[in-house]
């Protein structure tokens, strides 16, 4: 099993999770982070660190977010690895918890 970044990360991109990842499995896009399922070791450390509560175990991804499993895998092949914490996006706090942000994802 791997962990998956879901919709609430879009337009927030808090990187607290990156700091605790022992295997550097996060990749970074313009307004979203994703997890490389081939690198994730299921350590769970990132889950508690995510201020947006956007990271789930693959088996626990909400039903309406299931497409993010494949999305993380696809983006992990094209986005660069992020290995250290950065500032969140400028409007991250305001966007945290906003529903239906899929259309805002910049690939």
């Amino acid at each position: 099993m791997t962990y998956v970044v879901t919709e609430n990360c879009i337009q927030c991109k808090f990187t607290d999770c990156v700091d605790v990842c022992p295997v550097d499995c996060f990749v970074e896009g313009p307004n979203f982070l994703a997890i490389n399922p081939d690198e994730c070791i299921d350590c769970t450390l990132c889950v508690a660190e995510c201020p947006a509560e956007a990271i789930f175990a693959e088996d626990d991804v909400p039903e309406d977010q299931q497409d993010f499993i494949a999305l993380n895998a696809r983006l992990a092949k094209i986005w660069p690895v992020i290995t250290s914490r950065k500032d969140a996006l400028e409007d991250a706090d305001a966007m945290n918890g906003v529903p239906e942000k899929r259309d805002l994802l910049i690939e």
Side-chain angles (χ1 to χ4, degrees):
M1 177 173 46
T2 187
Y3 281 76
V4 178
V5 180
T6 59
E7 183 176 31
N8 203 42
C9 182
I10 297 171
Q11 207 55 40
C12 290
K13 203 170 88 168
F14 295 105
T15 58
D16 305 59
C17 53
V18 172
D19 257 357
V20 298
C21 181
V23 294
D24 297 333
C25 69
F26 283 88
V27 295
E28 177 186 25
N31 68 345
F32 184 70
L33 298 174
I35 292 175
N36 183 333
D38 296 329
E39 299 295 326
C40 180
I41 60 169
D42 312 324
C43 70
T44 77
L45 294 174
C46 59
V47 177
E49 294 301 315
C50 180
E53 298 180 358
I55 303 173
F56 293 87
E58 185 175 358
D59 291 344
D60 297 331
V61 173
E63 193 64 37
D64 67 336
Q65 307 271 314
Q66 290 288 308
D67 56 320
F68 281 86
I69 297 170
L71 180 67
N72 275 243
R74 183 170 59 80
L75 295 176
K77 294 178 181 174
I78 58 174
W79 282 353
V81 172
I82 177 173
T83 59
S84 60
R85 188 169 190 258
K86 297 179 180 181
D87 290 336
L89 296 179
E90 187 175 316
D91 58 349
D93 288 327
M95 292 300 292
N96 188 1
V98 172
E100 300 182 26
K101 298 192 283 186
R102 280 181 173 85
D103 291 342
L104 300 175
L105 178 63
I106 301 169
E107 291 188 45

